[in-house]
Each structure stands twice: as C-alpha cells, then as structure tokens.
Amino acid sequence: MSSSTPSPLFSPATWLRGPRRPSWVSDPKVLRTEVLAGLVVALALIPEAISFSIIAGVDPAVGLFASFTMAVTLAVVGGRPAMISAATGAVALVIAPLNREHGFGYLVAAVILAGVFQIILGALGVAKLMRFVPRSVMVGFVNSLAILIFMAQVPEMTDVPWAVYPLIAAGLALMVFFPKVTTIVPAPLVSIVILTVITVAAGIAVPTVGDRGDLPSALPVPGLPDVPFTLDTLTTVAPYALAMALVGLMESLMTAKLVDDITDTHSSKTRESVGQGIANIVTGFFGGMGGCAMIGQTMINVRVSGARTRLSTFLAGAFLMVLCIVFGPVVSDIPMAALVAVMVMVSVATFDWHSIAPKTLKRMPAGEITVMVMTVVCVVATHNLAIGVVVGSITAMVIFAKRVAHHADVTAVTDPDHTTVVYRVTGELFFASSNDLVGQFDYANDPDKVVIDLSAAHIWDASSVAALDAIETKYAQRGKTVEITGLNQPSARIHRTLSGELTGSH
C-alpha cells in the first residue's frame, strides 16, 4: 500500500486484489531510507507530544499514546503515504478548555466524536473544498508554518545554559555538511546521536527530553471514556468535537497537498479525511488526546529524510513506543538542543524563499501578495493554521470578486434610423458586477426598442436576473420594449426560472 496513487475508498475490487507490492520490500535502499526516517521522526515526536500534552492539561503519556495510535492507524487507512499524523498543538488548544472544565473522560469522548464527524465530513466530500484554496494562501500557509516551527524553538533557546548554543550550532553544522559526506544515514539522526553522546560523556548540564515529563512504561490499553452516556454529555462535547474535526481536517488536507507538491504525486484527500476520523476514534478508545497531520514532523520525514511510503509513517509510531518503553532512560538523556537544531533546519527548508525574492515580488500582482501576507499574519498572530487559511481564502475571494466585478462592460450601438438600440454586455454577471448594470442604460433617451445582447456574458445568480428585470421595468415604465438575446444555455435556464419571480411587481 505504499503507492501514492489514490484508490476508491470502499471499492471491493481494491480489497479483493489486495495491496500492491510495496517498493521497500524489493529495494533495500528504500527500506533503509524508510526505517531511518521513521526513527528520526519518532525522536522528534517525543518532546512535541509531551509539550502538547501540557497544553491540553493531560499527562505526557496521553500525548505520546495519541502520537503512536494516530501514526500507526493512518499508515494503514490514510490517503497520503509518508505523511505523519500525531498529537498536535492545534487540537490541544481546541480541547484544553473541555478537559479543564469537565475532566479527562469528556476529552476522550470528544476525540471519539470528532473522529465520527471527520468520517461523515470525508464521506460528504469536504476534501473537494481544497480546490477553493488559492496558491497564494498555500504559499502563506507554508511560510507561516515555517515561522511557527521556528518560533516554537525560541523558548528552548532563552534562559538556558550557555552550552545549549554551541550544541545547536554544532547540530546545524552537522546537518548542513554531513550529507556532503554520505546520505545513507539521515543527517538529523547523526546530529541527535553525536550531540547526545557528547553531552552524556562530558557531563554537560543542559535541558533534556526527560525534563519535559516522564515517558510511559507500558503500551496503552483500550477502554471506554469515563462519562455518563447521556444527551447532556453529547451536547457538552459536540461543539468541541466539531471544532476539533474541522481544524484537524483542514491542517491534514493542507499538509497532504503540500506533500503532494513536494513528491510530485497525487493522494486521495477523501480517503485521508476518513482515515483521520478512524485514527481519532482508535486514539480515543486507547485514551489518547487525538490529533491530525504534523507538518514539522512530516517535513522531517519527506523533505529532510526522503521517505515516500507508508512504512515510515508506521515505523514513526512504532519506534515512538519502543523508544519510550524500552529505551526510555536513553531517550530521556537526549539534549533538547539536538532536537531544536533539527526543527530549525526544518523551518529553513520549509520556508518558500522564492516567494519573497525581490524578483518574484515585482512580478506578483498586489492582490496575491496581500493574500499571502494576510495568511501569514493571521497564522502567526493566532498560532492557528486553520484560521489563517480561512482568512486568506476569504481575502482571496473578496479580491477576486472585486476584480471580476469590473469585467461586466456595456456598449451601445443605435441603428441609423434611431428605432432600435443594441446594448452588448460582456463579462460575468453575478452579485458584485450586476449591481452597477442598471445604471449603464439611457432609459430616457433610448428609442422605443431596446435589445440587450448577452452572447458575450454569463448569468451566475439571482442578483443578475433581478438587475435585468429592473432594466426591463424601467424601460416598460417609459413605454419601451426590451428583448434579451444571446443567452447561453445555463444563463437562459436561470433567467427563465427566476425572471419575474424576484419582486412583487409582476
């Protein structure tokens, strides 16, 4: 199932013929890449999962369990190979108030219900809304994500022992120069191992992974949320669950689209939407805090480590539990400086530097730049990628509507005997452009017969039909007749259906 080609979600034929032979089975190089990528991601997941647990107000093990179950489940049912899903800050922020006010049982119930919502939304085709996200929003999303990843590392570089700074510098140097020696082993893994050995051997006192919280010592066990199964419980958790479902889907679908672009492959966004729901349900039953796609860890997996298949996603989750349960004491000694260096490198690699190059900005339309900046500003200000995407998309639509509104041109030609005037309307007629249409006709001075030629126009909505009705009414009040010609089939249909029905004057 390593293929990135989308398959029908519930096609019996897909399951009957079985999964195609994964590339890592027959190619040792692919296998090595996927295994090492999974290990690097697992190491990077540990401090992040603990941090998000703290944000949500739960035990660190809850975030780590969620990262384990999300990654392993989506490796099987997800639609985007090599994407990493785990406990995230966006989800933690949404459900933290519920945990604070009602307790952990309600949080788990919300995670399960959010998964149900995501399956429903996925089946309804919510993934198709991604086509309405403009490229400028996508660029803003990527750049703001890079900024957020870097900003998240700033606390790890302030009020810390001086030794942290040379360790971060050494980690960055290793990741820049080690690939020039060999790419067999991912540079981030080499950096983490070397810095850990140095700090432990030299006894350097710097913040470590173990300082973030205790790692779990056993696998999670399934169970039902500890809540009364009543309508009151449902009404309490439903708003949080819906918010979590929407935020999780938006971040996951945007990340899937980003991975599609990086890998030049296509993925099934519908399958990913449903898969996210299944993973959250599984996570909830195992007492996890839920999650969605993790953009930083996905970039480590795909862009930095070169992973391309589901194996890396599965191993990221599997290695996470092995590292916590079997090698907990060793992992606890990893200096945070090593992981900070990895995430700084990820932020630099993620940022679209071409988008802010002077040469690019000179050629880019002002509206596109505005949308990109609005997206970045909103995300950085709110620390919520979903809000930035929504605001950016709305801004893009407003700018587009304003631009298109000026594309409805009206030209008049009067015949030589002054008995008929032909108005030729060119452009798209919708609520923004049709509002000015009524004022572009000379009702008092035109001859008795008026022809409105719409062969170069298209009617999109009721506002345009109402405008045409108003024009006919104004001419009729002066004893003049109006003939509308040239309507294409869709325009004729909407005009025929709504004309004369939008006001009480007919």
Side-chain angles (χ1 to χ4, degrees):
M1 299 182 71
S2 64
S3 172
S4 57
T5 305
S7 58
L9 193 58
F10 300 117
S11 167
T14 300
W15 303 109
L16 285 174
R17 68 170 176 263
R20 278 183 265 182
R21 185 181 178 88
S23 57
W24 50 267
V25 172
S26 54
D27 190 337
K29 289 183 179 180
V30 174
L31 177 62
R32 182 181 63 237
T33 299
E34 300 297 311
V35 171
L36 293 176
L39 180 57
V40 174
V41 171
L43 288 168
L45 276 173
I46 293 172
E48 298 252 328
I50 295 173
S51 298
F52 299 144
S53 299
I54 295 169
I55 291 173
V58 297
D59 189 80
V62 175
L64 291 165
F65 288 157
S67 298
F68 163 62
T69 52
M70 290 291 296
V72 169
T73 304
L74 280 161
V76 179
V77 302
R80 174 63 259 179
M83 190 167 80
I84 304 297
S85 291
T88 58
V91 169
L93 287 169
V94 169
I95 60 177
L98 179 64
N99 181 61
R100 187 168 56 249
E101 295 169 17
H102 298 279
F104 181 66
Y106 282 81
L107 181 149
V108 172
V111 171
I112 295 171
L113 184 58
V116 174
F117 283 151
Q118 287 178 328
I119 291 175
I120 294 171
L121 290 169
L124 291 175
V126 71
K128 294 177 182 176
L129 295 176
M130 284 299 297
R131 71 183 67 178
F132 295 107
V133 177
R135 181 187 178 279
S136 51
V137 173
M138 191 68 193
V139 173
F141 169 83
V142 170
N143 289 346
S144 55
L145 139 72
I147 294 170
L148 285 186
I149 292 173
F150 182 82
M151 287 175 62
Q153 311 315 310
V154 173
E156 305 294 339
M157 296 185 278
T158 54
D159 297 324
V160 293
W162 68 269
V164 168
Y165 303 109
L167 285 172
I168 293 175
L172 291 171
L174 280 168
M175 284 182 283
V176 170
F177 296 110
F178 186 79
K180 300 181 186 300
V181 178
T182 179
T183 57
I184 293 177
V185 182
L189 180 58
V190 174
S191 177
I192 292 169
V193 171
I194 290 177
L195 294 186
T196 303
V197 170
I198 290 173
T199 54
V200 172
I204 302 173
V206 292
T208 63
V209 171
D211 295 333
R212 289 298 187 88
D214 295 330
L215 302 180
S217 57
L219 288 171
V221 292
L224 294 174
D226 184 19
V227 294
F229 292 90
T230 62
L231 184 60
D232 184 56
T233 300
L234 179 62
T235 55
T236 300
V237 303
Y240 295 95
L242 182 59
M244 176 185 162
L246 293 173
V247 169
L249 279 184
M250 185 170 293
E251 290 212 20
S252 299
L253 293 176
M254 290 292 286
T255 306
K257 189 174 187 300
L258 179 59
V259 177
D260 288 355
D261 294 340
I262 292 171
T263 60
D264 291 324
T265 57
H266 183 67
S267 61
S268 171
K269 306 302 184 297
T270 298
R271 177 173 173 176
E272 182 60 38
S273 301
V274 174
Q276 287 285 332
I278 295 171
N280 272 307
I281 291 173
V282 171
T283 298
F285 281 121
F286 276 92
M289 58 181 274
C292 61
M294 286 197 80
I295 304 158
Q297 274 65 21
T298 297
M299 290 301 99
I300 292 175
N301 198 46
V302 175
R303 177 164 275 170
V304 179
S305 301
R308 292 293 182 269
T309 77
R310 298 177 186 274
L311 181 63
S312 59
T313 306
F314 178 85
L315 290 178
F319 281 148
L320 175 64
M321 281 295 99
V322 172
L323 289 169
C324 290
I325 296 171
V326 181
F327 300 102
V330 176
V331 173
S332 295
D333 287 335
I334 295 175
M336 285 302 300
L339 298 173
V340 169
V342 171
M343 297 311 292
V344 168
M345 184 62 74
V346 168
S347 69
V348 172
T350 301
F351 197 92
D352 186 352
W353 298 101
H354 176 72
S355 67
I356 60 170
K359 185 178 179 181
T360 304
L361 294 176
K362 284 181 182 178
R363 295 182 177 182
M364 192 74 68
E368 300 281 320
I369 297 173
T370 301
V371 170
M372 181 179 72
V373 171
M374 281 290 292
T375 304
V376 172
V377 169
C378 287
V379 170
V380 173
T382 63
H383 284 236
N384 191 318
L385 290 159
I387 291 176
V389 170
V390 171
V391 171
S393 298
I394 292 173
T395 303
M397 290 175 188
V398 170
I399 292 173
F400 175 75
K402 186 177 179 182
R403 186 185 304 154
V404 175
H406 298 294
H407 287 180
D409 299 320
V410 179
T411 55
V413 177
T414 306
D415 67 351
D417 59 4
H418 295 279
T419 59
T420 305
V421 61
V422 178
Y423 283 94
R424 180 174 176 82
V425 181
T426 305
E428 307 298 323
L429 298 181
F430 67 114
F431 62 89
S433 59
S434 59
N435 285 337
D436 298 328
L437 193 64
V438 179
Q440 299 190 52
F441 293 79
D442 189 357
Y443 303 101
N445 300 316
D446 278 341
D448 291 341
K449 185 176 181 183
V450 178
V451 177
I452 301 176
D453 181 8
L454 297 176
S455 57
H458 187 99
I459 297 175
W460 287 102
D461 61 4
S463 297
S464 304
V465 177
L468 292 172
D469 284 354
I471 293 167
E472 289 187 79
T473 300
K474 288 180 180 293
Y475 277 116
Q477 289 170 348
R478 293 167 174 78
K480 301 175 182 181
T481 60
V482 175
E483 180 185 358
I484 296 176
T485 64
L487 288 170
N488 58 34
Q489 191 172 353
S491 298
R493 187 183 307 115
I494 190 171
H495 185 263
R496 182 171 59 250
T497 303
L498 297 179
S499 183
E501 302 296 329
L502 301 173
T503 66
S505 60
H506 290 264

